[in-house]
């Protein structure tokens, strides 16, 4: 713990040497329990012991290092001491102990530590709130990494306790209830892994389990987002939607009875969250920024910050699954009376309009890009490594395009007209956020530009599927001429290049020339020049060589 690097390194080396002593684990566990040792030292002891477990507790460990393995008597004493830390009055010590117990369980349960599972379940049933939370932490690591279909008896015992904690709104902290849902989600994955080999078992047990859980989960979805001090439901909602996604992917036929209710509630949530999301994360200058941020960013009992982002990512992932599920297609597309042509439902049209709002560049992204242009390049890459709301929207759009290309294009066309009018009005009112709205419109349509072009070129009609002329008037030209918004200006170049084959030759040539000049102009913002380079690549693929 010393701030002196050399002293700390010598101490760490000495501890590594002492690990080869047969009594090391017992001695360190005694330090962890010593009240007079100080919290920092006790925490360090638990962390040290967790590393030791990985290196010397069992030859089954992938990190095992040659040396003496503690005998069963020593292990028993160490386990007893560590388990007692789950009742500590210090949250950080309890958390560290929970992680250590999960690590030990990997090697010792059930053969050497058979009482562990019933002891943890008993803490769930009759322990204090802190003890329950600590036991839940053990299960959250243990079930996810080390339990399987071989442990269905234990899972059957655990599930009722998890549900009881989940539905006890006044009895447990939100973080504990959210963790109960997380462990339930892990149990669902174990059950889904049995589908191929033990389909009869899954068919018999999945429906009653879902019946017990889906009703309270839907009730959580129906609740408005709440965040008033200790009463926040953001993390609980996020865990619920992850559980539903996992169930939909793992045991899809058993989720069919609940899909329409899930769609209805999650869609209402998207609508309710949209405006606060924009004010909290996109429009920093909004007069509602502070109140929206206070609503959508929570600090729970354990001091951890929870943003609405994880909930939104789960909703968009569930919608992607729904769009890829045949029984759900009726919610996205319908046949027009008379012509019989497939078109977007009202829901799909409204969803696409909403996606254009959620796709807007956040203030945090702008700050990140300003500090590091490599991040901008990575985020613009379809294989970018940062997953956020905008990328989640992109993934959903790709699924919608693959499932309902014609209907999506119609929905995009109507949504673009609606959103472009808003952006135009803001621009006339000198609202500085106009460019964010326009950029998002172009980004969303550009995401599926290849599909739109293919549809247009295979269409027997000369009527444009997307009114590019109107888009250029309301969004592309204004952005292209706004050097004060470089990320918007760059988007205009990329959008024009993506639809080069559908543009009049003169306009395409003018944009290509503008991109070439932008690349050569060292005074321009790097984002504009980088976007121009990308646009030139698009033009070179889509235009004749003599353009």
């Amino acid at each position: 713990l010393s701030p002196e690097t050399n002293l700390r390194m010598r101490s760490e080396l000495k501890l590594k040497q002492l690990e080869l002593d047969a009594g090391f684990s017992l001695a360190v566990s005694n330090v962890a329990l010593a009240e007079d040792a100080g919290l920092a030292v006790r925490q360090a002891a638990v962390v040290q012991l967790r590393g030791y477990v990985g290196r010397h507790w069992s030859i089954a460990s992938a990190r095992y290092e040659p040396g003496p393995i503690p005998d069963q008597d020593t292990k028993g004493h160490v386990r007893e001491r560590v388990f007692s830390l789950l009742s500590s009055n210090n949250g950080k010590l309890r958390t560290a102990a929970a992680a250590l117990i999960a690590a030990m369980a990997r090697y010792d349960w059930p053969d050497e530590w058979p009482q562990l599972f019933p002891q943890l379940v008993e803490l769930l049933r009759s322990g204090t709130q802190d003890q329950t939370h600590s036991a839940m932490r053990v299960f959250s690591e243990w079930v996810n990494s080390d339990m399987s279909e071989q442990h269905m008896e234990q899972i059957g015992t655990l599930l009722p306790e998890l549900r009881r904690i989940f539905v006890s709104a006044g009895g447990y902290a939100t973080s504990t209830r959210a963790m109960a849902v997380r462990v339930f989600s892990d149990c669902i994955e174990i059950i889904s892994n049995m589908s191929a080999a033990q389909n009869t078992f899954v068919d018999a047990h999945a429906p009653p389990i879902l019946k017990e859980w889906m009703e309270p989960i839907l009730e959580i979805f129906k609740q408005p987002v709440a965040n008033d001090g200790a009463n926040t439901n953001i993390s609980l909602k996020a865990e619920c939607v992850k559980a539903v996604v996992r169930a939909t992917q793992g045991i899809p036929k058993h989720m069919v009875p609940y899909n329409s209710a899930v769609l209805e509630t999650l869609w209402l949530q998207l609508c309710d969250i949209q405006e606060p999301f924009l004010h909290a994360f996109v429009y920093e200058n909004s007069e509602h920024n502070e109140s929206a941020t206070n609503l959508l960013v929570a600090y729970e009992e354990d001091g951890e910050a929870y943003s609405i982002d994880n909930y939104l990512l789960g909703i968009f992932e569930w919608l992607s699954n729904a769009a890829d599920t045949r029984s759900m297609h009726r919610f996205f597309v319908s046949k027009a009376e008379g012509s019989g042509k497939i078109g977007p439902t009202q829901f799909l049209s409204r969803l696409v309009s909403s996606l254009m709002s959620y796709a807007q560049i956040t203030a945090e992204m702008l700050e990140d890009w300003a500090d590091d242009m490599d991040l901008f390049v990575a985020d613009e890459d379809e294989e970018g490594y940062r997953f956020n709301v905008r990328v989640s929207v992109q993934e959903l759009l790709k699924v919608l395009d693959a499932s309902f290309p014609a209907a999506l294009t119609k929905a995009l066309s109507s949504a673009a007209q609606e959103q472009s009018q808003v952006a135009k009005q803001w621009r006339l009112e000198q609202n500085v956020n106009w460019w964010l709205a326009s950029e998002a419109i172009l980004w969303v349509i550009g995401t599926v530009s290849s599909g739109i072009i293919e549809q247009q070129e295979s269409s027997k009609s000369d009527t444009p599927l997307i009114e590019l002329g109107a888009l250029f008037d309301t969004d592309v030209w204004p952005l292209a001429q706004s050097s004060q918004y470089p990320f918007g200006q760059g988007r205009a170049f990329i959008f024009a290049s993506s639809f080069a084959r559908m543009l009049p030759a003169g306009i395409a040539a003018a944009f290509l020339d503008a991109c070439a000049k932008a690349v050569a102009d060292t005074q321009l913002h790097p984002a504009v020049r980088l976007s121009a380079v990308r646009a030139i690549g698009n033009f070179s693929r889509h235009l004749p060589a003599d353009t």
Side-chain angles (χ1 to χ4, degrees), residues 134-339:
S134 299
M136 196 68 73
R137 278 195 178 277
V138 178
F139 280 123
S140 70
E141 295 199 33
W142 188 17
V143 174
N144 178 53
S145 59
D146 296 305
M147 284 196 180
S148 67
E149 58 269 22
Q150 299 175 11
H151 305 114
M152 283 307 301
E153 180 181 349
Q154 288 78 18
I155 289 173
T157 301
L158 182 59
L159 282 172
E161 298 304 321
L162 296 176
R163 186 188 182 281
R164 179 183 58 79
I165 292 169
F166 167 45
V167 301
S168 299
Y172 296 95
T174 302
S175 55
T176 304
R177 296 171 63 210
M179 209 173 297
V181 179
R182 188 184 312 161
V183 179
F184 161 70
S185 181
D186 293 334
C187 293
I188 285 295
E189 182 168 14
I190 292 172
I191 294 171
S192 69
N193 290 338
M194 301 170 64
S195 296
Q198 301 183 53
N199 193 46
T200 302
F201 178 90
V202 175
D203 287 347
H205 290 81
I209 291 173
L210 291 176
K211 185 177 180 180
E212 286 289 312
W213 281 82
M214 285 307 299
E215 182 179 349
I217 284 176
L218 287 168
E219 286 302 314
I220 294 296
F221 289 156
K222 291 175 183 177
Q223 294 174 5
V225 172
N227 181 23
D228 52 344
N231 297 318
T232 175
N233 58 10
I234 293 175
S235 64
L236 187 58
K237 284 176 173 287
E239 292 298 339
C240 284
V241 79
K242 287 178 187 176
V244 170
V245 167
R246 188 168 279 183
T248 302
Q249 293 173 341
I251 43 177
K253 71 177 182 179
H254 298 296
M255 281 295 295
V256 170
Y258 307 100
N259 282 338
S260 60
V262 173
L263 178 65
E264 179 182 355
T265 52
L266 292 184
W267 168 240
L268 291 175
Q269 287 280 274
L270 270 185
C271 295
D272 290 343
I273 295 170
Q274 181 175 308
E275 282 303 310
F277 175 86
L278 294 173
H279 290 299
F281 303 114
V282 180
Y283 309 144
E284 270 198 325
N285 57 343
S286 166
E287 62 180 304
H288 304 296
N289 176 260
E290 183 177 355
S291 60
T293 302
N294 290 338
L295 176 65
L296 301 184
V297 179
Y299 292 87
E300 296 198 344
E301 301 91 340
D302 55 7
E304 188 173 352
Y306 291 87
S307 168
I308 202 69
D309 281 18
N310 286 334
Y311 186 35
L312 291 172
L313 296 183
I315 292 175
F316 291 136
E317 185 176 3
W318 187 87
L319 287 170
S320 294
N321 290 330
D324 202 28
T325 302
R326 183 173 296 276
S327 63
M328 296 293 288
H329 285 188
R330 60 192 173 90
F331 294 103
F332 295 88
V333 293
S334 60
K335 287 185 179 181
E337 292 184 12
S339 66

Side-chain angles (χ1 to χ4, degrees), residues 79-143:
R79 289 191 294 251
E80 183 180 344
R81 285 162 168 74
V82 174
F83 193 89
S84 70
L85 290 175
L86 295 181
S87 301
S88 168
N89 58 9
N90 183 271
K92 292 182 178 179
L93 204 54
R94 292 195 304 272
T95 299
L100 175 54
I101 290 170
M104 289 175 167
R106 177 170 299 169
Y107 311 113
D108 295 355
W109 183 83
D111 296 339
E112 298 174 14
W113 199 2
Q115 69 273 31
L116 174 60
F117 187 88
Q119 284 179 330
L120 288 171
V121 170
E122 185 58 32
L123 284 185
L124 295 183
R125 287 175 177 160
S126 57
T128 66
Q129 284 207 19
D130 287 343
Q131 288 173 327
T132 300
H133 189 79
S134 299
M136 196 68 73
R137 278 195 178 277
V138 178
F139 280 123
S140 70
E141 295 199 33
W142 188 17
V143 174

Side-chain angles (χ1 to χ4, degrees), residues 62 298 303 371 405:
D371 292 337

